[in-house]
């Protein structure tokens, strides 16, 4: 059931879209792939740079490879865009710390 219509006037400020897909691999493992995208309807300026209206502020990808017991056996993370491009992608290697959880 959808939400009721808003009772006051408003304008869109931010959209975050998260897409998650699961894939069964030939050898019996599973890949869970996610993508996160943040977009603003108006141009925005950050200390690390700016984005035009509708241009993604943040685009991140994550692939978890898990076994049948949900043990994480591999991880890959990529940041295609971030509000602070010079540093936002530097966190990606840290996701490998999830292996074994």
């Amino acid at each position: 059931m959808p939400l009721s219509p808003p009772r006051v006037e408003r304008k869109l400020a931010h959209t975050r879209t998260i897409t998650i897909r699961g894939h069964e691999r030939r050898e019996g493992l599973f890949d869970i792939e996610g993508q996160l995208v943040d977009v603003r309807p108006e141009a925005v300026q950050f200390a690390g740079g700016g984005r035009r209206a509708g241009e993604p502020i943040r685009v991140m990808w994550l692939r978890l490879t898990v076994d049948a017991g949900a043990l994480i056996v591999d991880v890959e993370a990529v940041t295609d865009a971030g509000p602070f491009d010079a540093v936002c992608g530097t966190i990606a290697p840290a996701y490998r710390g999830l292996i074994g959880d």
Side-chain angles (χ1 to χ4, degrees), residues 42-74:
E42 297 178 4
V44 63
Q45 190 67 35
F46 298 103
R51 298 290 189 272
R52 294 186 298 269
E55 183 179 21
I57 296 167
R58 179 176 291 107
V59 179
M60 298 174 68
W61 299 83
L62 181 68
R63 178 186 300 128
L64 300 175
T65 301
V66 300
D67 67 13
L71 178 71
I72 299 171
V73 298
D74 199 12

Side-chain angles (χ1 to χ4, degrees), residues 16-76:
R16 172 169 280 182
T17 304
I18 299 173
T19 304
I20 299 174
R21 294 185 173 95
H23 303 270
E24 187 173 354
R25 294 167 45 142
R26 189 177 335 184
E27 81 278 53
L29 297 174
F30 301 88
D31 284 340
I32 310 301
E33 294 180 349
Q35 181 193 36
L36 179 144
V37 179
D38 285 333
V39 176
R40 298 254 176 105
E42 297 178 4
V44 63
Q45 190 67 35
F46 298 103
R51 298 290 189 272
R52 294 186 298 269
E55 183 179 21
I57 296 167
R58 179 176 291 107
V59 179
M60 298 174 68
W61 299 83
L62 181 68
R63 178 186 300 128
L64 300 175
T65 301
V66 300
D67 67 13
L71 178 71
I72 299 171
V73 298
D74 199 12
V75 176
E76 181 181 358

